[in-house]
Amino acid sequence: MDTKKLRYFLAVVEAGSISSAAKQIPIAQPALTRQIHQLEADIGAVLFYRDRKGVSLTQAGHYLYANGQRLLSELESVAKKTRDIANGYRESLSLGISTIHPYIPSITALISRFRSRHPSTQLTLESMLSGPQAEAILAGRLDAGILFIEREDEPRLDYYPLASFRMAVFTSRCHPLIATTPTSLKDFHDAPFIRFSRTSTPGSFDRLDRCFQKVGFVPNTVQECRDDITIRSLVATGMGYAIMPSIMALGDEDIVAYELDDLPIATDLMLAWQKGRQPAAVKTLCLLAEESH
């Protein structure tokens, strides 16, 4: 199967029409139409129903779309590892790490042990938020990731638990926005909150919302952000409160974290990889993590 034609097919499906896909690629629309017809001829199956409104997938088209991304990811992974071998590396590992790794010494300790014991493995690190990390692992752009996620958030991944951290309400020590020491979420009624955008950490966002609903608390969200460090900085200036892993307040004189009885949520730090596709280097990371427990 011609991978270029397969990429064109995926682009048409995701764009919703041949004309839209042609603009995005970019390629002339008649040329893209020919490529799709040639792909159908090569496979021996009709992939799209065509009408005046555009195109829609046939049953065969649905099957190819469901497996096409995986095929391309596997090809890209093989090509990358081939280049690594040519460059003198026996193994390679592309690893995502949580954006708050500077606050979690166990992450850097694990990576340091891996590097010292396996110097012939090319290790590529990319600091990413949990939502994008999971997407990158599933797309084959990362071999694995160290991220905050629950098992039920993404069943297409396998996991090794590394740590669990209690969630807490963060406030500025120098710029308190409520007069008394809080003991409940309801003490923050009408107080300004800074929250993650849902695309950054969808699982955590939804768990917090369920917790809010249970206690009848509606946060007064004044700002949404995509990363922990920005939120933490805004809290320190007194812009508002935020709910984050309590470990991010350790050793900081400008931040106070309140663990509340009606906020009984912990967030799990996981080593994650595609289900059923655990690279040897990821197995090694799991063994090294087990050593430190």
Side-chain angles (χ1 to χ4, degrees):
M1 184 187 302
D2 187 325
T3 58
K4 182 175 74 172
K5 294 187 182 73
L6 178 57
R7 291 181 192 277
Y8 286 161
F9 165 76
L10 295 174
V12 171
V13 176
E14 288 162 8
S17 70
I18 291 178
S19 59
S20 296
K23 293 175 183 177
Q24 293 174 13
I25 291 174
I27 185 176
Q29 184 173 336
L32 179 56
T33 300
R34 285 196 299 273
Q35 292 288 322
I36 297 300
H37 282 307
Q38 288 173 14
L39 177 63
E40 290 177 319
D42 293 343
I43 293 175
V46 176
L47 302 174
F48 290 108
Y49 295 116
R50 296 163 173 85
D51 57 33
R52 291 181 180 179
K53 296 181 180 179
V55 295
S56 58
L57 286 170
T58 64
Q59 186 174 357
H62 278 293
Y63 179 81
L64 181 60
Y65 179 67
N67 291 275
Q69 287 283 13
R70 177 182 57 80
L71 290 171
L72 288 178
S73 295
E74 288 178 357
L75 285 171
E76 289 170 1
S77 177
V78 168
K80 179 181 181 299
K81 293 189 183 299
T82 301
R83 290 193 299 272
D84 293 337
I85 292 170
N87 290 328
Y89 294 100
R90 292 199 300 270
E91 292 276 354
S92 67
L93 175 63
S94 56
L95 183 69
I97 56 173
S98 168
T99 54
I100 67 169
H101 67 271
Y103 298 96
I104 308 176
S106 59
I107 294 179
T108 50
L110 176 61
I111 292 169
S112 179
R113 287 199 303 276
F114 182 88
R115 281 194 182 278
S116 64
R117 296 193 194 183
H118 301 275
S120 63
T121 298
Q122 184 184 32
L123 179 60
T124 304
L125 300 175
E126 188 167 353
S127 179
M128 297 176 67
L129 297 164
S130 297
Q133 257 201 76
E135 293 173 5
I137 295 168
L138 292 170
R141 297 190 299 273
L142 291 174
D143 294 317
I146 296 175
L147 66 161
F148 286 98
I149 194 169
E150 302 296 319
R151 295 177 188 272
E152 62 269 21
D153 291 346
E154 183 42 79
R156 292 174 294 174
L157 297 178
D158 278 330
Y159 302 96
Y160 181 90
L162 297 174
S164 184
F165 301 104
R166 181 78 180 266
M167 298 293 279
V169 179
F170 277 50
T171 180
S172 167
R173 190 184 301 274
C174 301
H175 306 280
L177 298 174
I178 59 176
T180 59
T181 300
T183 59
S184 166
L185 280 173
K186 292 183 179 179
D187 293 335
F188 295 94
H189 179 70
D190 287 336
F193 263 84
I194 306 165
R195 293 195 68 181
F196 284 99
S197 61
R198 190 179 181 280
T199 55
S200 302
T201 54
S204 178
F205 187 98
D206 292 343
R207 276 187 292 279
L208 280 175
D209 267 4
R210 288 195 293 270
C211 180
F212 295 156
Q213 292 168 12
K214 185 175 181 180
V215 300
F217 173 70
V218 179
N220 173 26
T221 303
V222 297
Q223 181 70 51
E224 285 194 352
C225 298
R226 287 185 53 83
D227 69 276
D228 322 70
I229 306 303
T230 300
I231 292 177
R232 192 176 180 282
S233 298
L234 293 176
V235 169
T237 65
M239 180 174 172
Y241 295 95
I243 296 177
M244 306 176 74
S246 58
I247 194 171
M248 291 186 68
L250 293 179
D252 193 312
E253 296 181 356
D254 298 327
I255 296 288
V256 182
Y258 295 103
E259 295 182 355
L260 306 175
D261 289 341
D262 56 358
L263 184 63
I265 297 177
T267 182
D268 292 332
L269 183 68
M270 299 282 201
L271 174 61
W273 60 93
Q274 278 199 54
K275 186 176 286 294
R277 295 181 57 196
Q278 186 185 36
V282 176
K283 292 181 182 179
T284 300
L285 272 177
C286 292
L287 291 173
L288 290 174
E290 189 174 353
E291 285 181 8
S292 63
H293 285 170

